[in-house]
């Protein structure tokens, strides 16, 4: 998508209405589906997943920049996950005020004390970016966050290229339809899970999707499951409560659920406090972390993806610690930093507050936790140490139609999923990638 959609199409109300009908049917035909909100645990009634009528143009150079830097980000996450002293120092202030992060960290410490049962780690990471528009009109890539836990929409985004190609063809934009890249992250993610299953070494063992109580987004996961079944890799879907009732470890720390051995635990749940509904839920998380099953991700990789860690990485000299003698890698990563500033009590936090008070429109407050919390602007917060201050990204507006109304939204670069295995020898890495745009 080089120039976007011509104004004569965008302003043609009758054509847009016809295209919207075509688009909804195309999304249903292609399987870009979600269960309806009223019955999130039943597939009797489904609807199309939210999407824009047209794709968003992204500068080619910026797109390739995102591809090039992602391998470095994956390596960085892996190195952080293997550095308990860094995690301890980076998260110390957050642990003091945020019980959820503190409980995760206690599990991390318990595993370190006992020793890891499994040396293989599966990481399905997603970097989220926006384009920052400079005063001269140029665009630069800025990372909003990296997700190391339950990164979603790899399945559904496998279906959207054909949806947008069809819409553009119907709109008479054949050349633009041919610019849309092939993209099948569901297959890529499944290849990574399959590799972890293979390395586990038992053909009888299952891949267990640990899922939420409310499963409206089930089809996003089903595409990955189906790719695994094509490889004759058995899968099962379990909630925390299911594992609590039927989960156990044998003398070799092999995990069994419903009497079936688990080779890979793929966490699609467990990233928010409300996911842990009882003490038994926390016991189950510890049980799985102790097990021989490959975790996606393990507890240390989960902590490596926290916002506080990302803020600490933005400090001078920190990236150099993880990439000694590699200034080009450090430069590539640092070029994508949007800027994260601590609100911890002390001189550094005081400096951040003064900076925000001097120019309040230039900053937003970002929650430390995952789970879709909104940015907060100009708010008084009872626990500032669980928030981080982020410079506002001045995105280049891209006018879109949604399925129901007109929206002007900021341009964003698509997600990237990369998969990294950490074998027993930390120096050796195997990288598997799948675009998610």
């Amino acid at each position: 998508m080089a120039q976007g959609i011509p104004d004569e199409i965008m302003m043609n109300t009758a054509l847009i209405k016809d295209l919207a009908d075509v688009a909804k049917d195309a999304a249903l035909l292609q399987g870009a589906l979600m269960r309806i909100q009223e019955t999130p645990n039943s597939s009797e009634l489904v609807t199309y997943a939210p999407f824009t009528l047209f794709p968003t143009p992204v500068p080619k150079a910026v797109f390739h920049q995102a591809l090039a830097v992602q391998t470095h980000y994956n390596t960085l996450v892996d190195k952080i996950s293997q550095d308990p002293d860094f995690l301890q120092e980076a998260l110390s202030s957050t642990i003091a005020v945020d019980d959820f992060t503190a409980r995760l960290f206690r599990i991390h410490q318990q595993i370190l004390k006992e020793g890891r049962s499994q040396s293989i780690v599966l990481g399905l990471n997603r970097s989220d970016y926006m384009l920052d528009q400079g005063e001269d009109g140029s665009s630069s890539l800025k990372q909003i966050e990296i997700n190391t836990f339950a990164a979603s929409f790899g399945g559904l985004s496998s279906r959207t290229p054909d949806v947008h190609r069809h819409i553009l063809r119907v709109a008479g934009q054949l050349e633009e339809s041919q610019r849309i890249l092939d993209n099948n992250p569901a297959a890529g993610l499944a290849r990574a899970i399959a590799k972890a299953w293979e390395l586990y070494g038992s053909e009888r063992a299952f891949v267990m999707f640990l899922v939420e109580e409310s499963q409206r987004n089930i089809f996003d996961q089903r595409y990955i499951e189906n790719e695994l079944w094509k490889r004759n890799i058995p899968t099962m879907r379990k909630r925390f409560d299911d594992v609590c009732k039927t989960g156990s470890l044998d003398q070799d720390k092999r995990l069994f659920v419903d009497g079936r051995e688990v080779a890979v635990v793929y966490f699609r749940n467990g990233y928010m406090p409300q996911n842990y509904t009882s003490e038994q839920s926390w016991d189950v998380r510890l049980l799985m972390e102790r097990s021989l099953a490959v975790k996606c991700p393990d507890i240390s990789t989960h902590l490596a993806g926290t916002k506080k860690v990302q803020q600490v990485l933005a400090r001078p000299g920190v990236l150099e610690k993880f990439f000694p003698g590699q200034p080009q890698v450090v430069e590539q990563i640092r070029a994508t930093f949007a800027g994260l500033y601590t609100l911890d009590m002390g001189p550094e936090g005081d400096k951040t507050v003064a900076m925000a008070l001097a120019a309040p429109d230039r900053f937003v407050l970002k929650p430390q936790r995952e789970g879709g919390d909104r940015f907060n602007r100009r708010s008084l917060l009872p626990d500032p140490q669980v928030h981080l201050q982020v410079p506002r990204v001045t995105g280049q507006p891209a006018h879109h139609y949604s399925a129901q109304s007109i929206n002007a939204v900021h341009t964003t670069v698509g997600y990237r999923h990369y998969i990294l295995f950490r074998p027993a020898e930390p120096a050796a890495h195997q990288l598997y990638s799948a675009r998610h745009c």
Side-chain angles (χ1 to χ4, degrees), residues 316-331:
V318 176
L319 284 178
E320 285 81 356
K321 164 184 165 60
F322 292 104
F323 296 99
Q326 297 178 270
Q328 291 183 332
V329 172
V330 170
E331 182 180 353

Side-chain angles (χ1 to χ4, degrees), residues 18-65:
D18 288 342
L19 289 175
D21 291 337
V22 169
K24 293 173 187 178
D25 291 342
L28 294 171
L29 284 168
Q30 291 296 332
L33 303 173
M34 297 183 79
R35 289 169 170 173
I36 65 171
Q37 191 168 359
E38 291 76 11
T39 54
N41 291 323
S42 170
S43 295
E44 292 297 316
L45 294 174
V46 299
T47 186
Y48 50 85
F51 68 102
T52 58
L53 189 58
F54 303 112
T56 299
V58 174
K60 185 176 181 179
V62 172
F63 177 74
H64 285 288
Q65 179 190 2

Side-chain angles (χ1 to χ4, degrees), residues 23 44-45 53 69 111 142 161 230 236 247 271 308 317 359 366 382 429 433:
E44 292 297 316
L45 294 174
L53 189 58
V69 76
I111 297 303
K142 296 302 177 186
K230 289 177 184 177
M236 58 178 169
Y271 52 88
K308 184 61 180 178
K366 187 168 180 59
H429 291 91
S433 68

Side-chain angles (χ1 to χ4, degrees), residues 304-354:
T306 56
K307 306 300 183 298
K308 184 61 180 178
V309 166
Q310 293 172 44
Q311 180 259 311
V312 172
L313 289 172
R315 292 174 177 166
V318 176
L319 284 178
E320 285 81 356
K321 164 184 165 60
F322 292 104
F323 296 99
Q326 297 178 270
Q328 291 183 332
V329 172
V330 170
E331 182 180 353
Q332 283 183 276
I333 295 175
R334 189 165 283 145
T336 66
F337 283 175
L340 286 169
Y341 304 97
T342 181
L343 292 171
D344 290 354
M345 299 298 179
E348 191 177 0
D350 292 344
K351 183 179 178 181
T352 301
V353 172

Side-chain angles (χ1 to χ4, degrees), residues 40-317:
N41 291 323
S42 170
S43 295
E44 292 297 316
L45 294 174
V46 299
T47 186
Y48 50 85
F51 68 102
T52 58
L53 189 58
F54 303 112
T56 299
V58 174
K60 185 176 181 179
V62 172
F63 177 74
H64 285 288
Q65 179 190 2
L67 303 188
V69 76
Q70 190 60 46
T71 300
H72 303 319
Y73 266 119
N74 290 326
T75 302
L76 176 61
V77 167
D78 188 54
K79 288 184 174 184
I80 292 169
S81 72
Q82 298 182 74
D83 192 333
D85 292 336
F86 176 81
L87 283 173
Q88 171 82 55
E89 183 179 354
L91 294 172
S92 59
S93 62
T94 303
I95 292 168
V97 297
D98 182 18
D99 182 64
F100 178 64
T101 305
R103 297 202 68 163
L104 292 174
F105 196 80
R106 286 200 292 271
I107 292 176
H108 165 68
Q109 289 180 310
Q110 183 68 27
I111 297 303
L112 289 178
K113 180 180 178 181
E114 296 177 4
R116 290 189 175 95
S117 301
Q118 179 57 265
S119 62
I120 301 166
V121 173
L122 172 61
L124 305 182
N125 303 328
R126 191 188 75 204
S127 280
D128 297 349
Y129 297 100
M130 291 184 71
L131 298 183
D132 191 24
Q133 186 175 20
E135 294 181 0
D136 60 355
S138 62
S139 296
S140 60
L141 188 71
K142 296 302 177 186
Q143 188 191 70
I144 303 304
E145 64 183 10
I146 186 167
N147 293 277
T148 64
F149 195 100
S152 59
F153 293 110
L156 292 185
S157 66
S158 303
R159 321 308 301 170
T160 52
D162 283 339
V163 173
H164 277 141
R165 287 190 186 108
H166 182 64
I167 296 166
L168 290 170
R169 284 193 291 264
V170 174
Q173 301 296 300
L174 179 60
E175 183 178 349
E176 293 298 305
S177 74
Q178 295 170 343
R179 294 179 183 272
I180 297 177
L181 300 177
D182 290 330
N183 190 30
N184 189 3
L189 299 175
R191 281 197 302 272
I193 297 172
K195 186 64 177 180
W197 177 85
E198 175 190 329
L199 291 172
Y200 181 82
S202 173
E203 293 185 356
R204 300 189 306 273
F206 281 68
V207 173
M208 183 176 74
F209 285 59
L210 189 80
V211 299
E212 297 175 297
E213 293 297 321
S214 176
Q215 300 181 54
R216 191 180 177 205
N217 195 28
I218 190 172
F219 299 106
D220 183 54
Q221 301 165 26
R222 289 294 195 196
Y223 284 117
I224 301 171
E225 288 182 63
N226 287 346
E227 292 288 341
L228 292 171
W229 280 106
K230 289 177 184 177
R231 297 167 177 265
N232 296 317
I233 296 175
T235 71
M236 58 178 169
R237 301 175 61 83
K238 296 296 178 182
R239 301 176 176 89
F240 270 113
D241 188 54
D242 299 321
V243 183
C244 179
K245 292 177 180 177
T246 68
S248 64
L249 303 184
D250 70 3
Q251 61 183 7
D252 297 318
K253 293 191 176 180
R254 292 182 299 172
L255 175 63
F256 290 84
V257 177
D258 276 347
R260 294 176 287 183
E261 185 177 359
V262 177
V264 180
V265 178
Y266 179 25
F267 286 99
R268 293 298 296 247
N269 187 25
Y271 52 88
M272 295 188 293
Q274 53 266 42
N275 299 149
Y276 298 83
T277 57
S278 65
E279 284 300 312
Q280 286 73 31
S281 299
W282 286 105
D283 293 340
V284 164
R285 179 67 189 270
L286 179 59
L287 177 82
M288 292 184 289
E289 294 292 340
R290 279 174 163 160
S291 77
L292 189 64
V294 178
K295 273 72 70 176
C296 179
D298 69 347
I299 188 68
S300 59
T301 306
H302 185 177
L303 291 169
T306 56
K307 306 300 183 298
K308 184 61 180 178
V309 166
Q310 293 172 44
Q311 180 259 311
V312 172
L313 289 172
R315 292 174 177 166

